[in-house]
Amino acid sequence: MTDPVLTDELIAAHGLKPDEYARILDIIGREPTFTELGIFSAMWNEHCSYKSSKKWLRTLPTSGPQVICGPGENAGVVDIGDGPDGTRLAVIFKMESHNHPSYIEPYQGAATGVGGILRDVFTMGARPIAAMNALSFGAPSHPKTPHLVRGVVEGVGGYGNAFGVPTVGGEVRFHPAYNGNCLVNAFAAGLADADKIFYSAASGVGMPVVYLGAKTGRDGVGGATMASAEFDDTIEEKRPTVQVGDPFTEKRLLEACLELMASGAVISIQDMGAAGLTCSAVEMGDKGGLGIKLQLDDVPQREAGMTAYEMMLSESQERMLMVLNPALEDVARGIFEKWDLDFAIVGETIPEDRFLILHGNAVKADLPLSKLSSSAPEYDRPWVETPAAEGLGDVPAISALDGLRALIGAPSYAHKAWVWEQYDSQVMADTVRTPGLGAGIVRVHGTEKALAFTSDVTPRYVKANPFEGGKQAVAEAYRNLCAVGARPLASTDNLNFGNPEKPEIMGQFVGAIKGIGAACEALDMPIVSGNVSLYNETDGRAILPTPTIGAVGLIEHVDQVIGGLPDAGDLALVIGETAGHLGQSALLAEAFGIEAGDAPHVDLALERRNGEFLRDNRALVKAAADLSDGGLALAAFEMAEGAGLGVTLEAGDIATLFGEDQARYLVACSFDQAEALMVAAGQAGVALAVVGRFGGDTVSLGDEAAPLAELSALYRGSFARAIGDA
């Protein structure tokens, strides 16, 4: 097949700007082949190169005594202490987006997002133990939203359930800003011995480069480039760039890879994710300071007549690339044949700085490998600071109960059983706390330890005040971990924004990064992995800035979990001070469609002090929840409703009930526990106040009351009704 002529239109279709193409010509001193153009396009797009974000990502705190491996590998690695036999254990985790594919083809887009993040974890030698997802959809009334919700949730469940990993948490939100661009952020965590972590840097000259897993097809060709562009009315034409996943093949791949790693045959290993064979080979070579030579005739193919371009850019799923210890080739091959997976030597490491691609008798690409990765473009995009928010002004009148009804009847805050009941949260039999009650908790198998997982961000806050919104996302993750008794360890971020070439969008990104960095530093939650997803726009309309924070915490003994529910007669207390901040609140957004005022400001020292106080006094607390969206009224209702109880809150004013001041927790205690907690709070200088009582069969806010059964029916039925599935 003859390569097409490289016209300006073809170059632009590959996501390369004229100055970037000129840079390619300078690097190689000639016009690239079509395959080389595709390789540069894949490696230099936003999704793979982080060319608009690298400058700012470097400012994030990424280290600490608990961090074994920070950003730059497939996933972050954090020490969690000794296992039962004295071996040092590590949790390996990351969050990544599959936004564009999920909008085009929701089931496969979401499914392959789950598959990709699981591979990131087990590529490093970890057995996955938990998954989460953070989903953002458009307005429920938008004609495409119900289709997207059903497809994405089915895709997440279909892949995760079949693979056999528990989905233990996450979040789902709705907002018109996502009408043309939903967000699907997938998180996975796994466990490994700390001294048995596998990395991607190739080493040794003349070492075999081995292709592992499923065969290569044409699905996903150009997926990474598509993920680095805005949508327009040609969106349906992009459907072929969405990959197709097979969770049962991935399960076999997991077992084969873990067995392979135990054999000693692996020198380095990398999953084939974005940009497939191209990105995996280039990253392995670049990190090891080596070149790579590939013979594409040896690549296992499931379709006839595939070109070099197609094979190099295919994003077919369930594939890995490995540098093999040649002495153990027969052992390695035997393992993969046993698991009925492809094993093919497709190349070798070479000493020169070359990425040499052969197909048939022809050289299809011959490029300086280091220029594809570490020498990719890096931009200092112009940015403007988000203007300070105007004052909130008068808040429209609403009764307290009507305010609560507005929240629990909104799909963003309604009960999410419709979602998480489609996920298997109990597979592997180590789940301590299932979705729906705050952070998910999974026991570290064979030990008394447990790990807690959460995912948080409030995009309204970030749009109004990127710095405070970035801080708040980390602080809320911190609170959610503390609320179950976990000591926060580290974070992963999934930074979803619009077009970075617009200074106001880049300003949102910069402000959020500064806020995230400040909070991670103050709360000892370094960023150890993550993903940036830009160009989340359709027809020039950007999503809300959505820097999702995934966080992991450690509970040294499962007996220390704060995981109960209130009993009738228990007191409701709030840790922290309530001023009644209503700017950018959930109440105003859901009850009145108002998104005005400033985001709540986050006092990081107070966050730390109050969180440590709760953890230190966990024995005095039956149940705890952080106060965030919806404030005290929503948190108290959710806690009471989960226990099948009514609740009485003494306050009747809207600001106290629905204000979203930070650094606060709602806790349930018996009378004696509450007395002891009051004494401890006085000694620690922590604000603590009794705000009500659990029990009965009504929900009372000040002098208003409604039957729990009525409110519970609204709360539990609103999500399904909103997407037309009731």
Side-chain angles (χ1 to χ4, degrees):
M1 184 181 294
T2 305
D3 283 353
V5 176
L6 301 189
T7 62
D8 291 345
E9 291 76 16
L10 185 61
I11 292 163
H14 279 74
L16 293 164
K17 302 286 172 64
D19 60 322
E20 292 174 336
Y21 185 68
R23 184 171 179 170
I24 291 170
L25 297 180
D26 288 342
I27 288 171
I28 64 177
R30 57 177 172 79
E31 187 175 88
T33 67
F34 184 52
T35 300
E36 289 173 336
L37 180 72
I39 289 170
F40 271 109
S41 167
M43 293 306 302
W44 284 13
N45 67 55
E46 198 71 57
H47 191 78
C48 293
S49 73
Y50 296 94
K51 58 190 176 186
S52 296
S53 57
K54 278 189 286 195
K55 168 186 168 67
W56 296 102
L57 295 177
R58 292 191 190 102
T59 67
L60 291 170
T62 58
S63 60
Q66 72 275 41
V67 178
I68 296 172
C69 176
E73 277 292 338
N74 288 288
V77 185
V78 176
D79 192 320
I80 61 168
D82 290 341
D85 55 0
T87 57
R88 207 75 176 159
L89 296 176
V91 59
I92 298 175
F93 63 95
K94 186 182 182 183
M95 188 171 238
E96 196 160 77
S97 61
H98 230 220
N99 303 335
H100 284 46
S102 298
Y103 188 78
I104 296 169
E105 213 306 301
Y107 184 95
Q108 290 297 347
T112 52
V114 173
I117 199 67
L118 289 168
R119 283 196 306 281
D120 280 338
V121 166
F122 72 74
T123 299
M124 300 195 70
R127 180 174 292 279
I129 62 162
M132 293 191 298
N133 53 84
L135 311 176
S136 302
F137 298 105
S141 58
H142 189 274
K144 191 151 184 163
T145 297
H147 164 71
L148 289 173
V149 173
R150 286 191 285 267
V152 165
V153 171
E154 288 173 10
V156 169
Y159 204 102
N161 296 352
F163 178 86
V165 63
T167 299
V168 299
E171 53 186 341
V172 184
R173 71 178 54 84
F174 295 83
H175 191 281
Y178 304 103
N179 280 350
N181 202 128
C182 66
L183 302 183
V184 175
N185 294 175
F187 170 99
L191 287 172
D193 289 352
D195 61 351
K196 295 178 182 174
I197 308 299
F198 287 81
Y199 298 100
S200 58
S203 63
V205 173
M207 296 292 111
V209 175
V210 183
Y211 174 114
L212 306 168
K215 288 179 168 56
T216 294
R218 291 186 171 92
D219 52 323
V221 172
T225 300
M226 177 271 293
S228 303
E230 295 182 32
F231 283 152
D232 53 29
D233 56 11
T234 66
I235 185 171
E236 288 301 320
E237 298 170 13
K238 297 181 171 69
R239 190 174 297 276
T241 62
V242 178
Q243 312 92 325
V244 177
D246 179 354
F248 299 105
T249 297
E250 178 128 327
K251 176 65 172 174
R252 301 202 316 275
L253 183 62
L254 161 71
E255 300 299 343
C257 284
L258 294 182
E259 190 174 335
L260 183 72
M261 290 163 174
S263 75
V266 177
I267 293 175
S268 65
I269 190 165
Q270 173 77 36
D271 93 286
M272 290 194 223
L277 191 53
T278 290
C279 194
S280 56
V282 169
E283 287 190 9
M284 290 173 74
D286 187 60
K287 289 175 183 175
L290 295 168
I292 299 282
K293 175 184 177 182
L294 296 179
Q295 173 52 261
L296 298 186
D297 298 85
D298 298 326
V299 169
Q301 300 160 54
R302 70 166 185 261
E303 299 184 48
M306 290 190 71
T307 65
Y309 178 96
E310 290 170 331
M311 279 187 272
M312 292 307 297
L313 297 185
S314 167
E315 293 184 6
S316 294
Q317 296 293 286
E318 294 88 41
R319 302 180 301 157
M320 304 286 233
L321 200 64
M322 170 182 71
V323 176
L324 170 72
N325 177 348
L328 293 173
E329 178 186 335
D330 290 344
V331 172
R333 187 183 298 277
I335 291 169
F336 272 74
E337 288 176 351
K338 180 183 80 173
W339 287 100
D340 194 25
L341 293 165
D342 279 297
F343 177 101
I345 296 175
V346 296
E348 63 178 330
T349 58
I350 56 178
E352 303 88 3
D353 180 20
R354 293 175 76 189
F355 192 38
L356 182 59
I357 310 299
L358 307 174
H359 189 213
N361 297 317
V363 174
K364 291 296 184 178
D366 189 355
L367 300 169
L369 186 144
S370 64
K371 301 295 184 184
L372 294 167
S373 181
S374 52
S375 298
E378 181 175 338
Y379 297 126
D380 185 1
R381 300 276 191 201
W383 60 279
V384 294
E385 191 167 343
T386 301
E390 296 181 2
L392 180 58
D394 293 333
V395 175
I398 190 170
S399 73
L401 275 177
D402 282 347
L404 180 61
R405 289 188 182 98
L407 290 176
I408 63 177
S412 290
Y413 303 106
H415 198 261
K416 301 298 191 305
W418 185 94
V419 175
W420 53 258
E421 284 178 355
Q422 298 187 52
Y423 306 151
D424 189 339
S425 61
Q426 298 291 346
V427 65
M428 301 178 74
D430 281 317
T431 303
V432 176
R433 199 178 205 217
T434 55
L437 293 169
I441 305 174
V442 173
R443 184 192 299 269
V444 178
H445 195 76
T447 78
E448 295 301 324
K449 297 177 191 286
L451 290 166
F453 305 98
T454 187
S455 164
D456 298 286
V457 67
T458 306
R460 292 188 314 278
Y461 294 172
V462 186
K463 184 177 183 183
N465 188 327
F467 179 70
E468 292 297 334
K471 283 165 59 180
Q472 193 276 339
V474 178
E476 187 174 341
Y478 176 86
R479 290 198 301 273
N480 271 317
L481 295 176
C482 291
V484 297
R487 174 170 60 88
L489 287 177
S491 310
T492 181
D493 57 9
N494 203 149
L495 308 173
N496 308 274
F497 289 82
N499 184 345
E501 297 169 49
K502 297 178 179 178
E504 66 276 14
I505 299 293
M506 197 64 205
Q508 293 175 347
F509 183 86
V510 171
I513 285 280
K514 289 180 176 180
I516 290 167
C520 287
E521 189 78 49
L523 301 175
D524 284 342
M525 292 171 62
I527 298 285
V528 297
S529 59
N531 170 248
V532 178
S533 176
L534 302 177
Y535 296 96
N536 288 291
E537 300 200 3
T538 297
D539 295 327
R541 292 189 295 275
I543 61 163
L544 291 179
T546 311
T548 309
I549 299 295
V552 177
L554 177 66
I555 302 167
E556 291 290 350
H557 196 287
V558 288
D559 289 348
Q560 298 174 336
V561 170
I562 306 172
L565 291 168
D567 293 313
D570 283 348
L571 297 179
L573 300 93
V574 169
I575 298 171
E577 297 180 357
T578 300
H581 182 95
L582 287 171
Q584 298 299 330
S585 64
L587 175 71
L588 292 187
E590 297 297 348
F592 304 107
I594 294 172
E595 295 177 23
D598 198 1
H601 285 223
V602 179
D603 182 330
L604 293 168
L606 198 59
E607 289 283 3
R608 181 160 188 154
R609 186 177 71 182
N610 290 357
E612 289 176 348
F613 171 77
L614 174 58
R615 296 202 312 272
D616 289 345
N617 292 279
R618 70 186 90 196
L620 300 174
V621 173
K622 288 186 185 177
D626 89 294
L627 295 191
S628 52
D629 271 5
L632 171 61
L634 182 59
F637 172 79
E638 289 175 342
M639 186 180 286
E641 200 273 349
L645 297 172
V647 62
T648 298
L649 296 179
E650 296 162 2
D653 64 292
I654 294 299
T656 300
L657 288 170
F658 296 97
E660 296 180 5
D661 307 284
Q662 301 295 294
R664 297 187 303 154
Y665 300 84
L666 172 68
V667 298
C669 305
S670 69
F671 184 83
D672 290 344
Q673 289 173 321
E675 276 196 327
L677 197 63
M678 286 283 192
V679 172
Q683 293 170 343
V686 168
L688 179 68
V690 176
V691 295
R693 183 182 297 270
F694 295 96
D697 57 6
T698 61
V699 174
S700 299
L701 307 179
D703 57 4
E704 299 179 57
L708 172 65
E710 172 210 318
L711 297 177
S712 183
L714 175 63
Y715 179 54
R716 290 182 177 260
S718 293
F719 190 95
R721 281 194 296 273
I723 62 165
D725 208 48

